[in-house]
Amino acid sequence: MSEERKKVTIRTLMKKKEASEKIVWLVVYDYPTALLADEAGVDMVLIGDSLGMNVLGYETTLPVTMEEMLHHTRAVVRAVKYAFIVGDMPFMSYQPSVEEAIKNAGAFLKTGCDAVKIEGGAEVADRVKAIVDFGIPVIGHLGLTPQKVSMLGGYRLQGKTAEDAKKIIEDAKALEEAGAFGVLIENTTAEVAKLVAEETDLIVFGIGGGPYCHGQLLLAPDVLGIGKIRPWFARTYVNLRELILNAFRRYCEEVRKGLYPAEEHTRHMEKEEYEKLLEMLGKK
Ligand code: KIV
């Protein structure tokens, strides 16, 4: 008999970490994708600010607003029954002040999120502490932090040197001390995430962080082959781009050739009514 599926909570995630069961996390931005991700059995979903590139057509995550994030978060929350839902704090939703950080983290919780994710280490520790103090669970985000893409000089691999790796490990410790329960490590050498997992009690999630993490995150558009930026670490499980293109091309062709709509997509008036109508219009 299969076990009854329950809503994933922080306790579930902690237990999975303790049992060395890998945690599956997926970035989704909309109702239909979230519905399928939840049905497929992912443990967690993130409404990522990569929404900017993958859905809204921006070049980076920087223009994404709280309003845009909340709009998409609400759609995801309406779809998800079981997965743990994380809202991604967009650029300038937590940087200006501790108060802004609390207010905006709270706005994600009000939509139905279970936690928020914040980019940065020691420099955001006061924001993380304040948010956690108000009962909002936080996941940090280190390594390649896309909101700092300009300062990092592009989407480059992080933690290549001992100094850089040490800084990431120290930042993880600062996040743990501030009360975060997890940290996402993006686009780094695998040794960084391994050491963060050894040196802290955080649940360590990786997206291009290597195999030693407790959980893995990927973006639904990358899994499906329709992502805007194809990161080196992503695995594409289906080439939806080709399937969608073919479907759209066939639709264009069939409309232009008069093959769609066919008889099965057409509804007719009763013959009698039609005759009456023609008569009324003086066409008979
Ligand atoms: O916005 C997002 O999807 C993210 C991932 C790239 C980690 O933060």
Side-chain angles (χ1 to χ4, degrees):
M1 219 168 56
S2 65
E3 220 177 281
E4 195 203 340
R5 201 170 160 201
K6 292 199 183 110
K7 167 78 185 169
V8 177
T9 64
I10 290 195
R11 268 170 59 84
T12 324
L13 300 174
M14 295 288 188
K15 275 193 196 159
K16 279 183 184 280
K17 179 197 155 184
E18 270 147 38
S20 299
E21 264 180 53
K22 294 284 185 185
I23 301 167
V24 185
W25 196 7
L26 187 68
V27 174
V28 293
Y29 315 105
D30 59 55
Y31 180 84
T33 316
L35 211 56
L36 292 172
D38 203 42
E39 188 178 331
V42 301
D43 300 303
M44 302 168 69
V45 293
L46 170 72
I47 305 90
D49 64 353
S50 52
L51 169 80
M53 288 95 96
N54 284 318
V55 177
L56 302 176
Y58 300 143
E59 285 303 315
T60 67
T61 58
L62 302 184
V64 177
T65 63
M66 269 304 289
E67 200 185 338
E68 288 165 336
M69 287 303 298
L70 293 177
H71 178 73
H72 284 264
T73 300
R74 283 188 202 100
V76 169
V77 167
R78 283 193 283 269
V80 171
K81 248 170 90 180
Y82 302 107
F84 188 84
I85 307 172
V86 186
D88 200 9
M89 304 276 290
F91 185 56
M92 285 301 141
S93 67
Y94 58 94
Q95 287 92 340
S97 67
V98 168
E99 288 71 24
E100 284 281 301
I102 298 167
K103 192 183 92 198
N104 288 319
F108 276 106
L109 268 273
K110 274 180 178 286
T111 66
C113 281
D114 300 300
V116 295
K117 175 174 83 60
I118 295 186
E119 291 187 17
E123 77 279 16
V124 295
D126 59 344
R127 271 72 170 162
V128 172
K129 182 173 181 331
I131 294 170
V132 173
D133 282 350
F134 280 98
I136 300 170
V138 174
I139 297 178
H141 183 167
L142 297 171
L144 187 278
T145 43
Q147 292 174 18
K148 288 190 183 140
V149 63
S150 187
M151 217 152 86
L152 296 171
Y155 298 96
R156 304 149 79 98
L157 183 71
Q158 305 294 307
K160 287 202 284 187
T161 65
E163 288 76 21
D164 189 27
K166 185 162 177 276
K167 167 89 173 71
I168 297 172
I169 295 160
E170 278 165 2
D171 277 333
K173 287 182 179 170
L175 291 171
E176 180 179 33
E177 209 172 298
F181 75 94
V183 65
L184 174 67
I185 310 267
E186 178 168 354
N187 201 350
T188 65
T189 54
E191 290 73 17
V192 171
K194 182 172 183 281
L195 285 163
V196 171
E198 283 169 15
E199 298 278 313
T200 72
D201 287 328
L202 293 165
I203 303 180
V204 179
F205 303 96
I207 176 161
Y212 308 114
C213 304
H214 304 118
Q216 294 292 333
L217 174 66
L218 276 182
L219 276 58
D222 292 334
V223 170
L224 301 175
I226 50 171
K228 187 166 173 182
I229 300 171
R230 293 264 177 101
W232 62 269
F233 48 77
R235 180 172 281 172
T236 298
Y237 287 82
V238 59
N239 190 347
L240 215 53
R241 184 177 191 280
E242 276 311 302
L243 294 177
I244 292 174
L245 262 178
N246 278 341
F248 288 170
R249 283 186 181 131
R250 279 184 51 212
Y251 172 57
C252 291
E253 193 185 321
E254 291 196 356
V255 169
R256 286 174 187 141
K257 285 185 174 166
L259 296 171
Y260 178 83
E263 193 50 33
E264 70 261 34
H265 311 115
T266 308
R267 294 286 178 269
H268 294 284
M269 291 174 77
E270 292 288 333
K271 194 162 179 289
E272 242 174 55
E273 284 299 313
Y274 184 51
E275 298 285 328
K276 193 169 148 193
L277 174 65
L278 290 181
E279 228 165 75
M280 284 162 76
L281 295 173
K283 284 180 156 287
K284 223 181 154 193

